[in-house]
């Protein structure tokens, strides 16, 4: 019997890559600053995916570009900047844990603005997830209060939740990878003046440049390509299970490579948030 060994391997790889994005931000953000780092990231991601955008150029009209710009702000420019800002100030695992709230925020936005049924299961998961964020924000790591960093990561995830809903309803007529290429291109143009204005005065060291390049090429361009190839082969729901692995890898990479030992607060909040996300995605049992 043939088994598709590629699917679990690629899901694992995506979790490792996107979890690694918080490691790379932690390395590069102190030397670049948030906005210049995000500009490098979205520009490299857009360049890598530009062939898809070029091939679909005749499908895009002015209305499409306006929507791509709005989604680009919410899916790239703002959340990437918030996570990069947090990476200057707190361990990489904080952002990775907060990122887990994206799935729950997506359901909340769909309920609040599009009247999608949320159900008792997801409602309970939302409450549990927010409790996890409160626990995360109340903790202390290496003597510094990380409340603002946890809040920034939560706001970033909230932006992702809005962007997912807008993408589904406003860009549904475009191939997903084209939509990502378009939003990254718009983000590149919108962030450019801010990145230039805040570009670091001191030379950026080589390790930070390598981390920024990895962030743009590997964690943005290649990861999105791999993600949408997975969606084509299986389904969006199954492909999205890679999100469960992001906090695990985010905390693990930081611990292994940066020596950032996870605190009890991080472990408790991460378990609560991730558990609530997994619980919210389970199918309710059916009577026999």
């Amino acid at each position: 019997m043939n088994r598709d060994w590629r699917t679990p391997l690629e899901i694992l790889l995506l979790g490792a890559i996107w979890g690694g994005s918080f490691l790379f931000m932690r390395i590069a953000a102190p030397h670049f600053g948030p906005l210049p780092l995000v500009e490098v990231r979205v520009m490299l991601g857009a360049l890598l995916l530009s062939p898809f955008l070029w091939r679909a150029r005749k499908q895009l009209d002015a209305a499409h570009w306006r929507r791509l710009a709005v989604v680009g702000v919410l899916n790239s420019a703002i959340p990437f900047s918030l996570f990069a800002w947090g990476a200057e100030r707190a361990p990489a695992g904080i952002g990775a844990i907060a990122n887990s709230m994206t799935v729950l925020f997506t359901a909340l936005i769909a309920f609040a603005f599009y009247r999608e049924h949320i159900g008792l299961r997801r409602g309970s998961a939302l409450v549990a997830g927010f409790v996890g964020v409160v626990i995360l924000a109340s903790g202390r790591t290496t003597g510094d209060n990380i409340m603002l960093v946890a809040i920034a990561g939560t706001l970033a995830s909230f932006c992702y939740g809005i962007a997912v809903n807008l993408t589904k309803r406003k860009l549904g007529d475009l191939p997903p990878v084209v939509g990502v290429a378009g939003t990254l291109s718009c983000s590149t143009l919108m962030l450019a003046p801010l990145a230039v204005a805040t570009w670091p005065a001191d030379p950026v060291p080589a390790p930070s440049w390598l981390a920024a390049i990895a962030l743009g090429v590997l964690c943005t361009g290649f990861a999105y390509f791999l993600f949408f190839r997975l969606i084509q082969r299986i389904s969006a729901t199954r492909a999205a299970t890679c999100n469960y692995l992001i906090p695990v890898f985010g905390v693990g990479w930081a611990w292994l490579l940066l020596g950032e030992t996870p605190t009890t607060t991080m472990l408790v909040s991460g378990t609560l948030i991730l558990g609530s996300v997994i619980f919210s995605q389970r199918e309710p049992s059916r009577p026999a």
Side-chain angles (χ1 to χ4, degrees):
M1 180 179 177
N2 289 328
R3 294 187 177 182
D4 183 8
W5 55 268
R6 295 177 300 168
T7 296
L9 183 62
E10 289 181 2
I11 288 174
L12 185 68
L13 180 60
L14 265 177
I17 291 173
W18 273 332
S21 67
F22 296 93
L23 166 72
F24 295 134
M25 283 189 284
R26 182 67 169 153
I27 293 171
H31 298 108
F32 274 96
L35 296 176
L37 176 60
V38 174
E39 174 66 10
V40 173
R41 176 179 186 176
V42 296
M43 180 180 64
L44 291 176
L47 287 174
L48 198 64
L49 297 176
S50 59
F52 297 100
L53 189 62
W54 176 255
R55 277 188 286 182
R57 65 190 184 281
K58 293 183 179 179
Q59 293 179 245
L60 302 174
D61 55 25
H64 279 121
W65 282 110
R66 287 193 294 271
R67 295 167 191 164
L68 288 168
V70 172
V71 174
V73 169
L74 293 167
N75 198 55
S76 303
I78 293 177
F80 286 0
S81 298
L82 287 170
F83 280 128
W85 179 86
E88 285 186 292
R89 294 162 174 79
I94 303 299
I97 293 169
N99 181 75
S100 302
M101 288 294 293
T102 297
V103 176
L104 300 180
F105 278 130
T106 300
L108 179 62
I109 296 298
F111 168 74
F113 292 97
Y114 300 105
R115 298 296 183 263
E116 286 192 11
H117 179 64
I118 197 167
L120 179 61
R121 180 183 292 272
R122 286 192 176 181
S124 302
L126 276 167
V127 173
F130 285 125
V131 171
V133 170
V134 171
I135 293 173
L136 182 65
S138 67
R140 287 180 176 272
T141 305
T142 61
D144 296 324
N145 195 301
I146 58 170
M147 179 183 295
L148 291 179
V149 175
I151 292 173
T154 304
L155 288 174
S157 297
F158 183 71
C159 289
Y160 283 150
I162 299 174
V164 169
N165 280 282
L166 289 178
T167 300
K168 179 180 177 181
R169 291 166 175 84
K170 303 297 183 182
L171 297 174
D173 59 331
L174 295 178
V177 72
V178 172
V180 172
T183 58
L184 289 174
S185 298
C186 291
S187 296
T188 299
L189 294 175
M190 289 185 287
L191 284 171
L194 297 174
V196 171
T198 58
W199 195 266
D202 297 326
V204 176
S208 292
W209 268 112
L210 291 174
I213 292 169
L215 195 60
V217 174
L218 181 64
C219 301
T220 307
F222 174 73
Y224 276 124
F225 170 77
L226 184 62
F227 182 63
F228 289 117
R229 193 178 72 167
L230 255 179
I231 289 176
Q232 288 178 343
R233 193 167 72 243
I234 49 176
S235 68
T237 302
R238 287 183 63 196
T241 57
C242 67
N243 288 294
Y244 303 154
L245 301 172
I246 293 174
V248 177
F249 277 105
V251 172
W253 289 135
W255 188 4
L256 181 65
L257 300 176
L258 298 180
E260 295 181 348
T261 304
T263 64
T264 301
T265 299
M266 290 171 63
L267 294 175
V268 171
S269 61
T271 300
L272 189 57
I273 293 171
L274 187 58
S276 68
V277 171
I278 295 173
F279 178 75
S280 74
Q281 298 303 296
R282 290 181 58 194
E283 293 292 335
S285 57
R286 298 177 181 177

